[in-house]
Amino acid sequence: EKTMKSLLIAGILALSIGTTHAASYKIDPTHTFPNFTISHLGFSTQHGWFGKTMGTLEMDLNKKTGSVDITIDAASINTGFKKRDDHLRSPDFFNVAEFPEITFKSTKVKFNGKTKAKIDGKLTIMGTTKMVTLDVDRISCGPHPFTKKVNEVCGFNATTMIKRSDFGIKYGLPAIGDDVMITLQAEATR
């Protein structure tokens, strides 16, 4: 019984230490959804998301350092309406035949406590790269509560605003909005 208690305490300490030291995580594509909102003719706000995402997350909460590298399959865009999605995949918008990936690669992460951060990085859409800042309003890391196959999960919620015209997507301007709010809910496992 004493040995069992010692093992349990050692396991809890290992998990708590694991969540604060440097770790490398793989983006979980089943729980990561980059999504966006845009004004449609000034009448409504349209929503969409990308269904296929992969990448890595590096994090050290003790040193307050980290990095993010995300690749999005541009053809996985989904607004809930096939005809619109096909148009968004066309050269008028994302031109997915020529530019199949959207990428974000961080250049600097600045933590604000342990649960918030700003992530500067290079966003590439349609072959054009611009610096953007992701505002992270919540970072949460810990052991996965449902499975023993995953040691630890880190998740974060981040937002940024871009002008689509900065990336060469000019179809329908100004009637279809130029400002695009991007929200990224991501989970990564180790």
Side-chain angles (χ1 to χ4, degrees):
E1 187 177 332
K2 190 174 183 179
T3 304
M4 187 65 129
K5 283 183 182 176
S6 298
L7 286 172
L8 182 60
I9 291 169
I12 291 169
L13 285 173
L15 283 174
S16 65
I17 289 169
T19 61
T20 57
H21 284 84
S24 179
Y25 303 84
K26 182 179 177 183
I27 294 292
D28 177 354
T30 64
H31 293 98
T32 300
F33 296 100
N35 56 81
F36 60 89
T37 57
I38 187 169
S39 172
H40 183 254
L41 309 176
F43 296 121
S44 65
T45 300
Q46 295 297 300
H47 297 259
W49 65 94
F50 295 91
K52 294 181 182 175
T53 306
M54 61 184 203
T56 58
L57 170 68
E58 304 282 334
M59 190 166 340
D60 187 329
L61 291 177
N62 279 340
K63 293 182 180 176
K64 296 192 176 182
T65 60
S67 67
V68 179
D69 188 338
I70 292 179
T71 299
I72 299 166
D73 178 352
S76 72
I77 194 164
N78 189 334
T79 64
F81 183 57
K82 184 181 181 326
K83 188 174 178 181
R84 179 176 41 235
D85 296 344
D86 290 342
H87 190 203
L88 289 170
R89 292 181 188 103
S90 80
D92 285 345
F93 287 96
F94 288 98
N95 193 6
V96 301
E98 190 174 345
F99 304 102
E101 295 180 341
I102 297 169
T103 61
F104 177 80
K105 296 181 187 315
S106 65
T107 57
K108 180 182 177 184
V109 177
K110 184 177 179 184
F111 282 84
N112 178 9
K114 286 193 174 187
T115 61
K116 295 184 180 193
K118 290 198 180 286
I119 304 173
D120 296 333
K122 297 176 182 179
L123 177 63
T124 302
I125 301 173
M126 282 189 25
T128 299
T129 302
K130 299 285 182 184
M131 291 298 294
V132 300
T133 299
L134 298 178
D135 290 311
V136 180
D137 69 0
R138 183 176 56 87
I139 302 167
S140 180
C141 299
H144 194 289
F146 296 135
T147 179
K148 297 191 187 316
K149 293 179 185 177
V150 175
N151 290 334
E152 185 179 340
V153 177
C154 268
F156 66 92
N157 293 336
T159 58
T160 192
M161 179 76 82
I162 65 167
K163 291 201 175 293
R164 65 186 176 99
S165 59
D166 289 346
F167 296 89
I169 305 173
K170 298 180 180 178
Y171 180 88
L173 289 173
I176 300 172
D178 195 16
D179 293 332
V180 181
M181 174 62 77
I182 298 172
T183 305
L184 175 63
Q185 293 93 14
E187 286 186 20
T189 59
R190 155 172 104 88

